[in-house]
Amino acid sequence: MLGSPYQRSGDVPFTLGILGGGQLAKMLAQSAYQLGLRVAIIEHGADSPAGIMTKLEFSGGWNSDVDLELFISASDTITLENEFIDPKIVERIAEKRLVFPTAQTLEKIQDKYIQKQTFRSCGIPTTEFISLDSPEDAIEFGTKHGFPFIIKTRTLGYDGYGNATVRNSNDIHSVWRKFTESEEPRALMAEKFVHFTKELAVMVARNRRGEVAVYPCVETIQENHICRAVIAPAQVEKHLQLRAKEIALECVKAIDGVGMFGIELFLTNDGDILFNEIAPRPHNSGHYTIEACVTSQFENAVRAVCNLPLGSPEMIAPAAVMINILGERSGSAIPDSVVETLKIPTASLHLYGKSTSRKGRKMGHITALGSTSDEAMQSALNSAKSLIW
Amino acid sequence: MLGSPYQRSGDVPFTLGILGGGQLAKMLAQSAYQLGLRVAIIEHGADSPAGIMTKLEFSGGWNSDVDLELFISASDTITLENEFIDPKIVERIAEKRLVFPTAQTLEKIQDKYIQKQTFRSCGIPTTEFISLDSPEDAIEFGTKHGFPFIIKTRTLGYDGYGNATVRNSNDIHSVWRKFTESEEPRALMAEKFVHFTKELAVMVARNRRGEVAVYPCVETIQENHICRAVIAPAQVEKHLQLRAKEIALECVKAIDGVGMFGIELFLTNDGDILFNEIAPRPHNSGHYTIEACVTSQFENAVRAVCNLPLGSPEMIAPAAVMINILGERSGSAIPDSVVETLKIPTASLHLYGKSTSRKGRKMGHITALGSTSDEAMQSALNSAKSLIW
């Protein structure tokens, strides 16, 4: 079958092409290599975390026609680690190679308003939301659904960028101006503020035959819009975990998604599970799967994209905790001392090999397993605290 | 400290150089990348399993002065996946870079007679052995210790090559001629035949500070001198497992070994544990550690060589079984169908990405975890049997 490794004659090795060279691409490459595949990386700039891991590095980025063509030629099937790629480029790639997730899936996801509309029309529970054509629309929304509420750019927002909390009508005009009068004015939407108890996430893999692997429901701990830690499984009642997994799976089916998807959800104060966001790629909330599950999100991402049977997403330990290693200063990407961290024998350290550090930048992560999530958390925290920048 | 990553100023990434590009180098590279390091590979020929995984590939091999110099320049600390390298080359590298295992360790190991002498003098139990200067020495040995016994080349034997079983005095002369009258005559030794119940193995990591990580005692199942399967932990009484681990550790200390070592042992019919062989590198009997232990042999090999604290070698599941995937035919390195294998959701598949297959060639391996070794074996066998070449 076109696009599948292992089902071809001759000695031709199968190359998985990855759009992007960051840590997600790095970990995807790790899994591809384990399965005996080769890897091609295209990124803007040389020596990215994944770029150093292959002979097939195209450092002009996908905006360089030359490098894009060379990358396509070098690859058999292509996937991405970055959902902000212009779907037109993905369409161009799709003229020559299988690429997952598809341009169609990306178009449904990249605009958060269309994203939520698509899901709402499939019966997936979300918060109230509308698209905004004018500040008056926003005022009306706030009056109807209450203040505060959120105004979001419909495209290109991540980790909190492109979001603004609107506390009262007066805020609306300044927020409106900020987003619409900038160099690149963006379409806006409003969302009713969700009062949540916990933030949850579920990873879902789906291949072209529609086979799925739904990972455990986990809890994510965010600070300033950046993920700090992940607890697996989430410490919520079983029926809520199941509900979250159900919703996550429905989301992926709603967009006919092929590949790996990270679905973020809210557990509201009222005890409901609401859809929040979806990313069509491996996700920070799934890094724990490398040590904690039979098949990591990265391996299943490779399998899904290459139309191979998926591996079990079951956990192999009762609990796991992942803690992000975030830069605390600018400058060298190498922490002053990782040695203390490595002395904690039971936590697994991952460093992404980025060129420079920056406050808040994701530089690596630590995962610990445990009989209970408290035990795993203790282990992971001890390890993370000992890292000296 | 020189030769340690993470303890340097500035943005200079640390590069681990590996002599050899086969599957052991591939898996070493995987671990180095997880720790945020870079990797340089030197091998005879391009596109080896590890060679494809780096921009720093030197395909002229270490017998090419040019490539060796470039490889040394590109690397910060160097290790090997192949113990048959001429110690003089290692000494040459050591003039410029830290390299582990050292040339001194290699010299003690590469000659099996010197190897056993070193260990015997440290009180490590081995079978009876002598060096052979003449066929008469061999006849005397057989008379004293019984037939059959083994004549081995002192250097360069592996996977059964360089061994001959001597059934009676008449055999001796033909064996002698075969080994001493070939193009490259080899020095010989004799070993008393060991009647064993099981073959065992223990991996030991040791860093420059003398810190050690001793892995579980496992059982290896050999067929025609090639490892077919590994059962972890070995199904022998605890005191025997401990004795095997004790002996393995003594071996590594006896040669002041730094790096990762695979020690093979016999459980004799008399219930004794005898030393058999040692390899100064990650070993087939340790591949199960990737899924089954907190820290894989490959990660601890990288840590040991880079003088970092070692990670825990403890198992994270009660049992694990690894089964080698051996080529069944010549030709394409890609099995006709790996799909059936991947459908078994609980076994982890590793394919090495070699260029061609050959009957008996190590092309990959499968590891399964289980509550019991029977369960793990079942899982691994189902997976392996489904692989169609």
Side-chain angles (χ1 to χ4, degrees):
Chain A
M1 174 185 295
L2 190 67
S4 288
Y6 318 129
Q7 287 174 323
R8 55 202 308 156
S9 59
D11 285 335
V12 185
F14 186 99
T15 301
L16 177 68
I18 306 174
L19 295 152
Q23 69 265 27
L24 299 179
K26 178 187 178 114
M27 292 184 274
L28 278 168
Q30 298 268 42
S31 289
Y33 283 134
Q34 176 176 321
L35 293 173
L37 312 184
R38 295 190 186 188
V39 175
I41 297 289
I42 185 165
E43 176 59 273
H44 304 85
D47 296 342
S48 55
I52 57 158
M53 287 173 65
T54 175
K55 292 166 73 171
L56 304 169
E57 184 199 30
F58 303 94
S59 56
W62 51 79
N63 290 321
S64 152
D65 285 344
V66 170
D67 269 22
L68 183 56
E69 287 307 316
L70 288 171
F71 166 78
I72 292 170
S73 297
S75 307
D76 288 289
T77 286
I78 290 169
T79 190
L80 53 82
E81 65 142 16
N82 178 344
E83 68 272 34
F84 295 119
I85 183 168
D86 186 340
K88 289 194 175 20
I89 292 179
V90 178
E91 272 164 22
R92 186 171 145 195
I93 295 170
E95 286 169 12
K96 298 185 179 173
R97 296 286 186 271
L98 288 176
V99 52
F100 298 104
T102 61
Q104 294 74 29
T105 294
L106 287 176
E107 274 159 3
K108 291 194 187 117
I109 283 182
Q110 283 184 352
D111 181 319
K112 288 179 182 170
Y113 175 68
I114 292 173
Q115 191 193 109
K116 280 196 155 72
Q117 264 193 321
T118 306
F119 292 146
R120 181 166 61 183
S121 69
C122 293
I124 287 157
T126 85
T127 188
E128 298 290 337
F129 67 95
I130 58 163
S131 73
L132 298 175
D133 294 318
S134 66
E136 289 67 40
D137 288 344
I139 293 167
E140 192 179 321
F141 187 87
T143 307
K144 184 172 174 192
H145 295 290
F147 291 80
F149 67 92
I150 314 277
I151 289 182
K152 280 183 175 176
T153 58
R154 285 170 55 164
T155 57
L156 294 173
Y158 69 98
D159 281 353
Y161 295 106
N163 286 7
T165 304
V166 175
R167 290 180 180 71
N168 52 56
S169 305
N170 295 331
D171 279 351
I172 288 172
H173 289 281
S174 53
V175 168
W176 190 267
R177 271 193 305 274
K178 172 182 156 189
F179 284 138
T180 56
E181 289 172 19
S182 67
E183 266 184 32
E184 292 183 47
R186 302 215 187 291
L188 301 176
M189 64 186 290
E191 288 186 7
K192 182 180 174 185
F193 198 87
V194 178
H195 298 275
F196 60 83
T197 306
K198 289 179 191 272
E199 297 195 74
L200 307 173
V202 176
M203 303 302 305
V204 176
R206 185 166 176 271
N207 68 16
R208 291 176 73 192
R209 280 183 289 259
E211 291 162 5
V212 296
V214 183
Y215 281 82
C217 171
V218 303
E219 177 181 352
T220 67
I221 298 174
Q222 320 270 348
E223 208 174 276
N224 297 325
H225 303 287
I226 299 174
C227 177
R228 299 307 301 261
V230 172
I231 301 170
Q235 302 298 286
V236 301
E237 290 155 34
K238 269 267 183 281
H239 75 274
L240 291 172
Q241 294 181 40
L242 285 170
R243 180 72 184 124
K245 291 170 71 167
E246 227 169 59
I247 291 172
L249 178 54
E250 284 310 305
C251 288
V252 175
K253 283 154 79 170
I255 50 174
D256 197 29
V258 170
M260 178 62 70
F261 297 81
I263 294 87
E264 294 178 278
L265 312 109
F266 294 118
L267 169 61
T268 70
N269 289 351
D270 300 327
D272 296 317
I273 308 282
L274 291 188
F275 167 80
N276 176 18
E277 298 245 343
I278 185 169
R281 50 162 175 81
H283 194 260
N284 202 167
S285 64
H287 294 349
Y288 75 95
T289 63
I290 295 173
E291 288 83 9
C293 296
V294 176
T295 319
S296 76
Q297 65 165 343
F298 299 101
E299 182 174 340
N300 258 342
V302 173
R303 294 190 191 204
V305 158
C306 296
N307 206 35
L308 295 166
L310 303 177
S312 165
E314 297 305 305
M315 287 184 70
I316 59 166
V321 166
M322 181 221 71
I323 293 183
N324 270 337
I325 296 170
L326 304 178
E328 292 172 17
R329 50 156 179 73
S330 299
S332 166
I334 300 162
D336 279 352
S337 174
V338 162
V339 174
E340 288 310 305
T341 307
L342 289 173
K343 281 183 183 170
I344 314 259
T346 52
S348 301
L349 174 67
H350 298 251
L351 286 172
Y352 302 149
K354 294 187 176 177
S355 307
T356 54
S357 171
R358 203 175 54 235
K359 196 160 155 62
R361 188 176 197 194
K362 291 177 183 176
M363 307 300 291
H365 71 268
I366 285 165
T367 299
L369 306 183
S371 313
T372 65
S373 54
D374 282 349
E375 191 183 294
M377 177 63 83
Q378 210 49 59
S379 207
L381 274 175
N382 283 345
S383 196
K385 277 185 198 164
S386 63
L387 201 87
I388 301 167
W389 283 95
Chain B
M1 174 183 298
L2 190 67
S4 289
Y6 316 129
Q7 288 175 322
R8 54 202 308 157
S9 59
D11 285 334
V12 184
F14 186 98
T15 300
L16 178 69
I18 306 173
L19 294 152
Q23 68 265 27
L24 299 180
K26 180 188 179 109
M27 293 184 272
L28 278 168
Q30 298 267 44
S31 289
Y33 283 133
Q34 176 176 320
L35 292 173
L37 313 184
R38 294 191 186 185
V39 175
I41 297 291
I42 185 165
E43 176 58 272
H44 304 85
D47 296 342
S48 56
I52 57 157
M53 288 173 64
T54 174
K55 292 165 72 171
L56 304 170
E57 183 198 33
F58 303 93
S59 56
W62 52 78
N63 290 322
S64 151
D65 284 345
V66 170
D67 269 22
L68 183 56
E69 286 307 315
L70 288 171
F71 167 78
I72 292 171
S73 298
S75 307
D76 288 290
T77 286
I78 289 168
T79 191
L80 52 82
E81 64 142 16
N82 179 343
E83 67 273 35
F84 295 120
I85 183 168
D86 186 340
K88 289 196 174 18
I89 291 179
V90 178
E91 273 165 21
R92 185 171 146 196
I93 295 170
E95 286 169 14
K96 297 187 179 170
R97 295 286 186 272
L98 288 176
V99 53
F100 299 103
T102 62
Q104 295 73 28
T105 293
L106 288 175
E107 273 160 4
K108 290 195 185 118
I109 283 182
Q110 283 183 353
D111 181 319
K112 288 177 180 170
Y113 175 69
I114 291 174
Q115 190 191 109
K116 279 194 156 72
Q117 263 193 321
T118 307
F119 291 146
R120 183 167 60 182
S121 69
C122 293
I124 287 157
T126 86
T127 189
E128 297 291 337
F129 67 95
I130 59 163
S131 74
L132 297 174
D133 294 319
S134 66
E136 288 67 40
D137 287 344
I139 293 169
E140 192 181 320
F141 187 87
T143 306
K144 184 172 175 190
H145 295 291
F147 291 82
F149 66 93
I150 313 277
I151 289 182
K152 281 184 174 176
T153 59
R154 284 170 54 164
T155 57
L156 294 172
Y158 70 97
D159 282 353
Y161 295 107
N163 286 6
T165 303
V166 174
R167 288 178 182 70
N168 53 55
S169 304
N170 295 331
D171 278 353
I172 287 174
H173 288 281
S174 52
V175 168
W176 190 269
R177 269 194 305 274
K178 172 181 156 189
F179 283 137
T180 57
E181 290 173 19
S182 67
E183 266 184 32
E184 293 183 47
R186 303 215 185 289
L188 301 176
M189 65 186 291
E191 288 186 6
K192 180 180 174 184
F193 199 85
V194 178
H195 298 276
F196 60 83
T197 307
K198 288 181 191 272
E199 296 195 74
L200 308 174
V202 176
M203 302 303 305
V204 176
R206 185 165 176 272
N207 68 16
R208 291 175 74 191
R209 280 184 289 260
E211 291 162 4
V212 296
V214 183
Y215 281 81
C217 170
V218 303
E219 176 181 352
T220 67
I221 299 174
Q222 319 270 349
E223 207 173 277
N224 297 326
H225 303 285
I226 299 175
C227 176
R228 299 307 302 263
V230 172
I231 301 170
Q235 301 298 288
V236 301
E237 290 154 37
K238 269 265 184 283
H239 76 273
L240 292 172
Q241 294 182 40
L242 285 171
R243 181 74 184 122
K245 292 170 72 167
E246 228 169 58
I247 290 171
L249 178 53
E250 284 310 304
C251 289
V252 176
K253 284 154 81 171
I255 52 174
D256 197 29
V258 171
M260 177 61 70
F261 298 81
I263 294 89
E264 295 179 278
L265 312 110
F266 293 117
L267 170 61
T268 70
N269 289 350
D270 300 328
D272 295 320
I273 307 281
L274 292 186
F275 167 81
N276 176 20
E277 297 246 342
I278 184 169
R281 49 164 176 79
H283 194 261
N284 202 166
S285 63
H287 294 351
Y288 74 96
T289 63
I290 295 173
E291 287 84 8
C293 296
V294 176
T295 318
S296 76
Q297 65 164 344
F298 299 101
E299 182 173 340
N300 260 342
V302 173
R303 293 190 191 205
V305 158
C306 296
N307 205 37
L308 295 166
L310 302 177
S312 165
E314 297 304 307
M315 286 183 72
I316 59 165
V321 166
M322 181 222 71
I323 293 182
N324 270 338
I325 297 170
L326 304 178
E328 291 170 20
R329 52 156 179 72
S330 299
S332 167
I334 301 162
D336 279 350
S337 174
V338 163
V339 174
E340 288 309 305
T341 308
L342 289 174
K343 282 182 183 170
I344 313 257
T346 52
S348 300
L349 174 67
H350 298 252
L351 287 170
Y352 302 148
K354 294 186 175 178
S355 307
T356 54
S357 172
R358 202 174 57 232
K359 195 160 155 63
R361 190 178 195 192
K362 291 177 182 175
M363 306 300 291
H365 72 269
I366 286 165
T367 299
L369 307 182
S371 313
T372 65
S373 53
D374 281 347
E375 192 182 294
M377 178 63 84
Q378 211 48 58
S379 208
L381 274 174
N382 283 346
S383 195
K385 278 186 199 161
S386 63
L387 199 88
I388 301 165
W389 283 96

